[in-house]
Amino acid sequence: MVFFVVFILFSILIFRLGEIQIVFGDDFKRELQRTEDITVSNPVPRGKMFDRNGKTIVDNTPMNAITYTKYQNANQKEMLDTAKKLANIISIDTTKVRERDKQDYWILNNPDKAKKLITKKEWTLYDEKKYEYKQIYNLQLKRIPESEIASFNNYELKTIAILKQFNSGYALTPQIVKNKDVTPEEFAAVSENLENLQGVDTTTDWVRNYIFGDTLKSILGDVSSSESGLPKDEVEKYLAQDYSRNDRVGKSYLELQYENVLHGQKAKVKNVTDKSGKILSTEVVSEGKRGSDLVLSIDMDLQTQVDKIIEEEMWNAKKKPNTGLLDRAFVVVMDPHTGEILSMSGKQIHKDDKGKTVMDDYALGNFTSSYNVGSAVKGATILTGYKTGAISPGDTQVDEPIKIANTKVKKSWKTFGRINDLRALQVSSNVYMWKTVIAMAHGHYVPNQPLPIDITAFDTMRKTFSEFGLGTRTGIDLPNETPGVTGTETKPGLLMDLAIGQYDMYTPMQLAQYVSTIANGGYRIQPHIVKEIREPVTENNELGPIVKEIEPTVLNRVDMKDEWIKRVQEGFRMVMQVGDGTAVGTFKSAPYHPAGKTGTAQAFYYGSNRSQWGTPVMNLSLVSFAPSDNPEVAMAVVVPWAYQGNSGPSVNNIIGKRVLDAYFDLKKTRSGNEGTAASDQQTQNTDSNQNTQQTGQ
């Protein structure tokens, strides 16, 4: 009976084995040999940036790199073994190894010891599924003896650092293990041992190289590292565009704004894996293509000179009395006909981490920060007066002190008597502007009496100002542009302040667009810093074919008669070239015959020194274009918080004169003409003793 039962069981077993081998054998064999083709995208170098003359501004510097590609369902023990082998070959920074990294490594490297840290009762609860593995693991972390963690030697710390890099990558995506200071010896040693280093490879990586250092750096922007990868708040957006989580992307300004142009076409690689996820072979599907190049409208020769001018004149001004709060200055130079930004410079003085006073690039402040700019806006005030019928070209007003009931006396920096509109611009009469807006608001001024006005005049003025770019975004091709600051109260005195640039706040970029609109005859042109997009070429520092050329964009034509604009152009010419114009002392001898308008505004300090917030200060500004009869360049200068008190150094005029000198000197040098503009030293000697007068000049 026993023999018979055994016989039957063996017969069933033999039958089943035969069935598996004969009937299903091929299926199981195919399963064992099954492979999977997975295509992944590898990043390529970013596009370069050039200035308008073909000078390289931003480049990619190649460097040796060691990478690790984690296969699907990677085994932590195998990864640890590879990390230990690699730690014997390369050096790596261990300063970023955290306490948790050490604990994870200890548990992985000492599984038996780690198991003993959990009591039998706790293991029983785990077996009964009353504890999750995560709870067990956290208990192990808490119970690791501190002596075990503190005893790690340098080799173990290197292993931990490498393992951390391994785990920070994503399946089948190469992760940078080391790309800085990889020695030729390390590169060669790793290359020779690739067969023993599962997932490790050697390659050429790149790092962004900003050729001119800090010059324009805040505008050029930054790129994320392979460690930080995609921004957390935009991961889904980038993943939908075929990015990998550890791809480097533009984080700010130009690098961010033109990310879709600069990032290029990624290389496609097909990985053949076995059923466990291990990579058996790789095949390049497509080589990929470096990102397209940007040609900026910036002239780096001019940019570096403007930076230097601002630095020198700010330090010079800081030597004068009452300039303790002066900490920044801005200059925008642009083509008034195309909107191309030729130079966008900004500097800011602050304390560094060591408490040392330093001056850094703050070019982005030209469109992200706004200030009261004073009388520079009076050209827009006069044109608004023409448009509303409050004044006509040639109308005269008596420049005299104005006293409204229950207010302080308001007056120009000097009493001029009866003057017309051109004279009002030439000498920067506040009273002429005030009487113009009073008429615009249907008010009737009687000394020492209240001044009722139609408050819709605020909207009327701001609407017209916005046609020139004041109080509205200019449309520059950079993120985070501010529209400025618009006051909310509608008192009569504030309308008068608005007329002379002492109520609403504007950015230096808005001033540049405003003066360009006057210079070109009334067309508000959108400013832009990118001039062309070009295909990448393999030769260094060469430009490829044009993919796209940025054409001038007219945002609007101001609703003004041509003769009105020409009259304001003449008033601006008188400011710099005729008689007692407020900028004649600085610009009259300039061979390029400039036109423009100075500005001084009573303001309050709101800088980095919070203890001084609310301190009364003077803001200085200057708008200009040249030559006055055929403008080819426009400029805006803003120096916030230049000094305290009623007078101080005319740093706005000094900076403006030196910048225009630099522009026309470069033009002469490039055209081969002899002769140069007056030297910077003569300019300094001539202008250093000139002081601005009271508010309004």
Side-chain angles (χ1 to χ4, degrees), residues 160-178:
I160 296 170
I162 293 171
L163 187 63
K164 180 181 179 181
Q165 291 297 95
F166 285 3
N167 282 309
S168 64
Y170 300 92
L172 303 180
T173 301
Q175 169 68 22
I176 298 293
V177 176
K178 182 179 180 181

mmCIF file with all atom_site columns, all heavy atoms in Angstrom, residues 160-178:
data_model
loop_
_atom_site.group_PDB
_atom_site.id
_atom_site.type_symbol
_atom_site.label_atom_id
_atom_site.label_alt_id
_atom_site.label_comp_id
_atom_site.label_asym_id
_atom_site.label_entity_id
_atom_site.label_seq_id
_atom_site.pdbx_PDB_ins_code
_atom_site.Cartn_x
_atom_site.Cartn_y
_atom_site.Cartn_z
_atom_site.occupancy
_atom_site.B_iso_or_equiv
_atom_site.pdbx_formal_charge
_atom_site.auth_seq_id
_atom_site.auth_comp_id
_atom_site.auth_asym_id
_atom_site.auth_atom_id
_atom_site.pdbx_PDB_model_num
ATOM 1   N N   . ILE A 1 160 ? 30.466 56.969 2.176   1.00 0.00 ? 160 ILE A N   1
ATOM 2   C CA  . ILE A 1 160 ? 29.130 57.515 2.474   1.00 0.00 ? 160 ILE A CA  1
ATOM 3   C C   . ILE A 1 160 ? 28.769 58.618 1.481   1.00 0.00 ? 160 ILE A C   1
ATOM 4   O O   . ILE A 1 160 ? 27.646 58.674 0.967   1.00 0.00 ? 160 ILE A O   1
ATOM 5   C CB  . ILE A 1 160 ? 29.086 58.047 3.918   1.00 0.00 ? 160 ILE A CB  1
ATOM 6   C CG1 . ILE A 1 160 ? 29.293 56.907 4.920   1.00 0.00 ? 160 ILE A CG1 1
ATOM 7   C CG2 . ILE A 1 160 ? 27.756 58.745 4.187   1.00 0.00 ? 160 ILE A CG2 1
ATOM 8   C CD1 . ILE A 1 160 ? 29.493 57.365 6.346   1.00 0.00 ? 160 ILE A CD1 1
ATOM 9   N N   . ALA A 1 161 ? 29.739 59.517 1.213   1.00 0.00 ? 161 ALA A N   1
ATOM 10  C CA  . ALA A 1 161 ? 29.493 60.632 0.288   1.00 0.00 ? 161 ALA A CA  1
ATOM 11  C C   . ALA A 1 161 ? 29.180 60.110 -1.117  1.00 0.00 ? 161 ALA A C   1
ATOM 12  O O   . ALA A 1 161 ? 28.287 60.634 -1.801  1.00 0.00 ? 161 ALA A O   1
ATOM 13  C CB  . ALA A 1 161 ? 30.699 61.564 0.260   1.00 0.00 ? 161 ALA A CB  1
ATOM 14  N N   . ILE A 1 162 ? 29.909 59.093 -1.551  1.00 0.00 ? 162 ILE A N   1
ATOM 15  C CA  . ILE A 1 162 ? 29.675 58.519 -2.883  1.00 0.00 ? 162 ILE A CA  1
ATOM 16  C C   . ILE A 1 162 ? 28.323 57.821 -2.935  1.00 0.00 ? 162 ILE A C   1
ATOM 17  O O   . ILE A 1 162 ? 27.554 57.980 -3.898  1.00 0.00 ? 162 ILE A O   1
ATOM 18  C CB  . ILE A 1 162 ? 30.823 57.545 -3.241  1.00 0.00 ? 162 ILE A CB  1
ATOM 19  C CG1 . ILE A 1 162 ? 32.130 58.323 -3.421  1.00 0.00 ? 162 ILE A CG1 1
ATOM 20  C CG2 . ILE A 1 162 ? 30.484 56.760 -4.501  1.00 0.00 ? 162 ILE A CG2 1
ATOM 21  C CD1 . ILE A 1 162 ? 33.351 57.443 -3.560  1.00 0.00 ? 162 ILE A CD1 1
ATOM 22  N N   . LEU A 1 163 ? 28.002 57.059 -1.909  1.00 0.00 ? 163 LEU A N   1
ATOM 23  C CA  . LEU A 1 163 ? 26.716 56.363 -1.862  1.00 0.00 ? 163 LEU A CA  1
ATOM 24  C C   . LEU A 1 163 ? 25.556 57.359 -1.870  1.00 0.00 ? 163 LEU A C   1
ATOM 25  O O   . LEU A 1 163 ? 24.512 57.115 -2.493  1.00 0.00 ? 163 LEU A O   1
ATOM 26  C CB  . LEU A 1 163 ? 26.652 55.480 -0.614  1.00 0.00 ? 163 LEU A CB  1
ATOM 27  C CG  . LEU A 1 163 ? 25.432 54.562 -0.497  1.00 0.00 ? 163 LEU A CG  1
ATOM 28  C CD1 . LEU A 1 163 ? 25.401 53.553 -1.641  1.00 0.00 ? 163 LEU A CD1 1
ATOM 29  C CD2 . LEU A 1 163 ? 25.421 53.835 0.855   1.00 0.00 ? 163 LEU A CD2 1
ATOM 30  N N   . LYS A 1 164 ? 25.762 58.461 -1.204  1.00 0.00 ? 164 LYS A N   1
ATOM 31  C CA  . LYS A 1 164 ? 24.734 59.504 -1.198  1.00 0.00 ? 164 LYS A CA  1
ATOM 32  C C   . LYS A 1 164 ? 24.490 60.018 -2.616  1.00 0.00 ? 164 LYS A C   1
ATOM 33  O O   . LYS A 1 164 ? 23.342 60.238 -3.031  1.00 0.00 ? 164 LYS A O   1
ATOM 34  C CB  . LYS A 1 164 ? 25.168 60.651 -0.279  1.00 0.00 ? 164 LYS A CB  1
ATOM 35  C CG  . LYS A 1 164 ? 24.170 61.798 -0.199  1.00 0.00 ? 164 LYS A CG  1
ATOM 36  C CD  . LYS A 1 164 ? 24.684 62.899 0.709   1.00 0.00 ? 164 LYS A CD  1
ATOM 37  C CE  . LYS A 1 164 ? 23.693 64.063 0.774   1.00 0.00 ? 164 LYS A CE  1
ATOM 38  N NZ  . LYS A 1 164 ? 24.188 65.156 1.638   1.00 0.00 ? 164 LYS A NZ  1
ATOM 39  N N   . GLN A 1 165 ? 25.565 60.216 -3.383  1.00 0.00 ? 165 GLN A N   1
ATOM 40  C CA  . GLN A 1 165 ? 25.433 60.651 -4.770  1.00 0.00 ? 165 GLN A CA  1
ATOM 41  C C   . GLN A 1 165 ? 24.725 59.579 -5.596  1.00 0.00 ? 165 GLN A C   1
ATOM 42  O O   . GLN A 1 165 ? 23.896 59.897 -6.442  1.00 0.00 ? 165 GLN A O   1
ATOM 43  C CB  . GLN A 1 165 ? 26.810 60.956 -5.360  1.00 0.00 ? 165 GLN A CB  1
ATOM 44  C CG  . GLN A 1 165 ? 27.482 62.195 -4.772  1.00 0.00 ? 165 GLN A CG  1
ATOM 45  C CD  . GLN A 1 165 ? 26.689 63.450 -5.059  1.00 0.00 ? 165 GLN A CD  1
ATOM 46  O OE1 . GLN A 1 165 ? 25.884 63.903 -4.239  1.00 0.00 ? 165 GLN A OE1 1
ATOM 47  N NE2 . GLN A 1 165 ? 26.881 64.007 -6.230  1.00 0.00 ? 165 GLN A NE2 1
ATOM 48  N N   . PHE A 1 166 ? 25.066 58.321 -5.364  1.00 0.00 ? 166 PHE A N   1
ATOM 49  C CA  . PHE A 1 166 ? 24.407 57.226 -6.085  1.00 0.00 ? 166 PHE A CA  1
ATOM 50  C C   . PHE A 1 166 ? 22.892 57.289 -5.879  1.00 0.00 ? 166 PHE A C   1
ATOM 51  O O   . PHE A 1 166 ? 22.111 57.147 -6.818  1.00 0.00 ? 166 PHE A O   1
ATOM 52  C CB  . PHE A 1 166 ? 24.914 55.871 -5.584  1.00 0.00 ? 166 PHE A CB  1
ATOM 53  C CG  . PHE A 1 166 ? 26.293 55.502 -6.067  1.00 0.00 ? 166 PHE A CG  1
ATOM 54  C CD1 . PHE A 1 166 ? 27.038 56.372 -6.843  1.00 0.00 ? 166 PHE A CD1 1
ATOM 55  C CD2 . PHE A 1 166 ? 26.858 54.278 -5.739  1.00 0.00 ? 166 PHE A CD2 1
ATOM 56  C CE1 . PHE A 1 166 ? 28.313 56.040 -7.285  1.00 0.00 ? 166 PHE A CE1 1
ATOM 57  C CE2 . PHE A 1 166 ? 28.113 53.917 -6.179  1.00 0.00 ? 166 PHE A CE2 1
ATOM 58  C CZ  . PHE A 1 166 ? 28.850 54.805 -6.950  1.00 0.00 ? 166 PHE A CZ  1
ATOM 59  N N   . ASN A 1 167 ? 22.476 57.478 -4.652  1.00 0.00 ? 167 ASN A N   1
ATOM 60  C CA  . ASN A 1 167 ? 21.047 57.434 -4.314  1.00 0.00 ? 167 ASN A CA  1
ATOM 61  C C   . ASN A 1 167 ? 20.290 58.694 -4.718  1.00 0.00 ? 167 ASN A C   1
ATOM 62  O O   . ASN A 1 167 ? 19.058 58.695 -4.744  1.00 0.00 ? 167 ASN A O   1
ATOM 63  C CB  . ASN A 1 167 ? 20.874 57.197 -2.814  1.00 0.00 ? 167 ASN A CB  1
ATOM 64  C CG  . ASN A 1 167 ? 21.085 55.739 -2.431  1.00 0.00 ? 167 ASN A CG  1
ATOM 65  O OD1 . ASN A 1 167 ? 20.499 54.841 -3.028  1.00 0.00 ? 167 ASN A OD1 1
ATOM 66  N ND2 . ASN A 1 167 ? 21.953 55.490 -1.456  1.00 0.00 ? 167 ASN A ND2 1
ATOM 67  N N   . SER A 1 168 ? 21.019 59.758 -5.015  1.00 0.00 ? 168 SER A N   1
ATOM 68  C CA  . SER A 1 168 ? 20.344 61.001 -5.404  1.00 0.00 ? 168 SER A CA  1
ATOM 69  C C   . SER A 1 168 ? 19.928 60.990 -6.867  1.00 0.00 ? 168 SER A C   1
ATOM 70  O O   . SER A 1 168 ? 19.184 61.860 -7.311  1.00 0.00 ? 168 SER A O   1
ATOM 71  C CB  . SER A 1 168 ? 21.255 62.208 -5.135  1.00 0.00 ? 168 SER A CB  1
ATOM 72  O OG  . SER A 1 168 ? 22.413 62.150 -5.948  1.00 0.00 ? 168 SER A OG  1
ATOM 73  N N   . GLY A 1 169 ? 20.417 60.007 -7.625  1.00 0.00 ? 169 GLY A N   1
ATOM 74  C CA  . GLY A 1 169 ? 20.065 59.916 -9.031  1.00 0.00 ? 169 GLY A CA  1
ATOM 75  C C   . GLY A 1 169 ? 18.753 59.189 -9.250  1.00 0.00 ? 169 GLY A C   1
ATOM 76  O O   . GLY A 1 169 ? 18.134 58.657 -8.324  1.00 0.00 ? 169 GLY A O   1
ATOM 77  N N   . TYR A 1 170 ? 18.320 59.144 -10.505 1.00 0.00 ? 170 TYR A N   1
ATOM 78  C CA  . TYR A 1 170 ? 17.085 58.477 -10.879 1.00 0.00 ? 170 TYR A CA  1
ATOM 79  C C   . TYR A 1 170 ? 17.417 57.312 -11.798 1.00 0.00 ? 170 TYR A C   1
ATOM 80  O O   . TYR A 1 170 ? 18.431 57.316 -12.497 1.00 0.00 ? 170 TYR A O   1
ATOM 81  C CB  . TYR A 1 170 ? 16.128 59.458 -11.563 1.00 0.00 ? 170 TYR A CB  1
ATOM 82  C CG  . TYR A 1 170 ? 15.765 60.615 -10.672 1.00 0.00 ? 170 TYR A CG  1
ATOM 83  C CD1 . TYR A 1 170 ? 16.497 61.806 -10.696 1.00 0.00 ? 170 TYR A CD1 1
ATOM 84  C CD2 . TYR A 1 170 ? 14.709 60.521 -9.771  1.00 0.00 ? 170 TYR A CD2 1
ATOM 85  C CE1 . TYR A 1 170 ? 16.184 62.852 -9.854  1.00 0.00 ? 170 TYR A CE1 1
ATOM 86  C CE2 . TYR A 1 170 ? 14.387 61.569 -8.927  1.00 0.00 ? 170 TYR A CE2 1
ATOM 87  C CZ  . TYR A 1 170 ? 15.124 62.736 -8.968  1.00 0.00 ? 170 TYR A CZ  1
ATOM 88  O OH  . TYR A 1 170 ? 14.823 63.775 -8.126  1.00 0.00 ? 170 TYR A OH  1
ATOM 89  N N   . ALA A 1 171 ? 16.572 56.305 -11.797 1.00 0.00 ? 171 ALA A N   1
ATOM 90  C CA  . ALA A 1 171 ? 16.841 55.080 -12.537 1.00 0.00 ? 171 ALA A CA  1
ATOM 91  C C   . ALA A 1 171 ? 17.153 55.364 -13.998 1.00 0.00 ? 171 ALA A C   1
ATOM 92  O O   . ALA A 1 171 ? 16.430 56.123 -14.666 1.00 0.00 ? 171 ALA A O   1
ATOM 93  C CB  . ALA A 1 171 ? 15.645 54.140 -12.427 1.00 0.00 ? 171 ALA A CB  1
ATOM 94  N N   . LEU A 1 172 ? 18.267 54.762 -14.468 1.00 0.00 ? 172 LEU A N   1
ATOM 95  C CA  . LEU A 1 172 ? 18.706 54.826 -15.852 1.00 0.00 ? 172 LEU A CA  1
ATOM 96  C C   . LEU A 1 172 ? 19.081 56.235 -16.312 1.00 0.00 ? 172 LEU A C   1
ATOM 97  O O   . LEU A 1 172 ? 19.211 56.489 -17.504 1.00 0.00 ? 172 LEU A O   1
ATOM 98  C CB  . LEU A 1 172 ? 17.627 54.248 -16.790 1.00 0.00 ? 172 LEU A CB  1
ATOM 99  C CG  . LEU A 1 172 ? 17.204 52.803 -16.498 1.00 0.00 ? 172 LEU A CG  1
ATOM 100 C CD1 . LEU A 1 172 ? 16.132 52.364 -17.487 1.00 0.00 ? 172 LEU A CD1 1
ATOM 101 C CD2 . LEU A 1 172 ? 18.396 51.870 -16.557 1.00 0.00 ? 172 LEU A CD2 1
ATOM 102 N N   . THR A 1 173 ? 19.252 57.150 -15.369 1.00 0.00 ? 173 THR A N   1
ATOM 103 C CA  . THR A 1 173 ? 19.672 58.515 -15.692 1.00 0.00 ? 173 THR A CA  1
ATOM 104 C C   . THR A 1 173 ? 21.033 58.769 -15.061 1.00 0.00 ? 173 THR A C   1
ATOM 105 O O   . THR A 1 173 ? 21.171 58.653 -13.841 1.00 0.00 ? 173 THR A O   1
ATOM 106 C CB  . THR A 1 173 ? 18.664 59.550 -15.160 1.00 0.00 ? 173 THR A CB  1
ATOM 107 O OG1 . THR A 1 173 ? 17.379 59.294 -15.738 1.00 0.00 ? 173 THR A OG1 1
ATOM 108 C CG2 . THR A 1 173 ? 19.106 60.958 -15.517 1.00 0.00 ? 173 THR A CG2 1
ATOM 109 N N   . PRO A 1 174 ? 22.042 59.104 -15.865 1.00 0.00 ? 174 PRO A N   1
ATOM 110 C CA  . PRO A 1 174 ? 23.374 59.335 -15.300 1.00 0.00 ? 174 PRO A CA  1
ATOM 111 C C   . PRO A 1 174 ? 23.354 60.441 -14.250 1.00 0.00 ? 174 PRO A C   1
ATOM 112 O O   . PRO A 1 174 ? 22.768 61.510 -14.467 1.00 0.00 ? 174 PRO A O   1
ATOM 113 C CB  . PRO A 1 174 ? 24.206 59.742 -16.526 1.00 0.00 ? 174 PRO A CB  1
ATOM 114 C CG  . PRO A 1 174 ? 23.487 59.157 -17.692 1.00 0.00 ? 174 PRO A CG  1
ATOM 115 C CD  . PRO A 1 174 ? 22.037 59.232 -17.338 1.00 0.00 ? 174 PRO A CD  1
ATOM 116 N N   . GLN A 1 175 ? 23.982 60.179 -13.121 1.00 0.00 ? 175 GLN A N   1
ATOM 117 C CA  . GLN A 1 175 ? 24.073 61.135 -12.024 1.00 0.00 ? 175 GLN A CA  1
ATOM 118 C C   . GLN A 1 175 ? 25.536 61.500 -11.809 1.00 0.00 ? 175 GLN A C   1
ATOM 119 O O   . GLN A 1 175 ? 26.398 60.627 -11.740 1.00 0.00 ? 175 GLN A O   1
ATOM 120 C CB  . GLN A 1 175 ? 23.496 60.535 -10.742 1.00 0.00 ? 175 GLN A CB  1
ATOM 121 C CG  . GLN A 1 175 ? 23.764 61.321 -9.480  1.00 0.00 ? 175 GLN A CG  1
ATOM 122 C CD  . GLN A 1 175 ? 23.030 62.654 -9.452  1.00 0.00 ? 175 GLN A CD  1
ATOM 123 O OE1 . GLN A 1 175 ? 22.044 62.817 -10.153 1.00 0.00 ? 175 GLN A OE1 1
ATOM 124 N NE2 . GLN A 1 175 ? 23.508 63.585 -8.656  1.00 0.00 ? 175 GLN A NE2 1
ATOM 125 N N   . ILE A 1 176 ? 25.810 62.805 -11.725 1.00 0.00 ? 176 ILE A N   1
ATOM 126 C CA  . ILE A 1 176 ? 27.184 63.255 -11.495 1.00 0.00 ? 176 ILE A CA  1
ATOM 127 C C   . ILE A 1 176 ? 27.622 62.848 -10.088 1.00 0.00 ? 176 ILE A C   1
ATOM 128 O O   . ILE A 1 176 ? 26.970 63.185 -9.104  1.00 0.00 ? 176 ILE A O   1
ATOM 129 C CB  . ILE A 1 176 ? 27.309 64.778 -11.649 1.00 0.00 ? 176 ILE A CB  1
ATOM 130 C CG1 . ILE A 1 176 ? 26.942 65.209 -13.073 1.00 0.00 ? 176 ILE A CG1 1
ATOM 131 C CG2 . ILE A 1 176 ? 28.721 65.239 -11.299 1.00 0.00 ? 176 ILE A CG2 1
ATOM 132 C CD1 . ILE A 1 176 ? 27.888 64.737 -14.134 1.00 0.00 ? 176 ILE A CD1 1
ATOM 133 N N   . VAL A 1 177 ? 28.724 62.100 -10.009 1.00 0.00 ? 177 VAL A N   1
ATOM 134 C CA  . VAL A 1 177 ? 29.329 61.764 -8.721  1.00 0.00 ? 177 VAL A CA  1
ATOM 135 C C   . VAL A 1 177 ? 30.395 62.793 -8.376  1.00 0.00 ? 177 VAL A C   1
ATOM 136 O O   . VAL A 1 177 ? 30.470 63.293 -7.255  1.00 0.00 ? 177 VAL A O   1
ATOM 137 C CB  . VAL A 1 177 ? 29.939 60.345 -8.745  1.00 0.00 ? 177 VAL A CB  1
ATOM 138 C CG1 . VAL A 1 177 ? 30.648 60.045 -7.423  1.00 0.00 ? 177 VAL A CG1 1
ATOM 139 C CG2 . VAL A 1 177 ? 28.872 59.311 -9.019  1.00 0.00 ? 177 VAL A CG2 1
ATOM 140 N N   . LYS A 1 178 ? 31.204 63.144 -9.373  1.00 0.00 ? 178 LYS A N   1
ATOM 141 C CA  . LYS A 1 178 ? 32.242 64.151 -9.178  1.00 0.00 ? 178 LYS A CA  1
ATOM 142 C C   . LYS A 1 178 ? 32.561 64.784 -10.524 1.00 0.00 ? 178 LYS A C   1
ATOM 143 O O   . LYS A 1 178 ? 32.804 64.080 -11.498 1.00 0.00 ? 178 LYS A O   1
ATOM 144 C CB  . LYS A 1 178 ? 33.514 63.529 -8.582  1.00 0.00 ? 178 LYS A CB  1
ATOM 145 C CG  . LYS A 1 178 ? 34.629 64.538 -8.306  1.00 0.00 ? 178 LYS A CG  1
ATOM 146 C CD  . LYS A 1 178 ? 35.859 63.872 -7.699  1.00 0.00 ? 178 LYS A CD  1
ATOM 147 C CE  . LYS A 1 178 ? 36.952 64.913 -7.431  1.00 0.00 ? 178 LYS A CE  1
ATOM 148 N NZ  . LYS A 1 178 ? 38.180 64.292 -6.859  1.00 0.00 ? 178 LYS A NZ  1
#
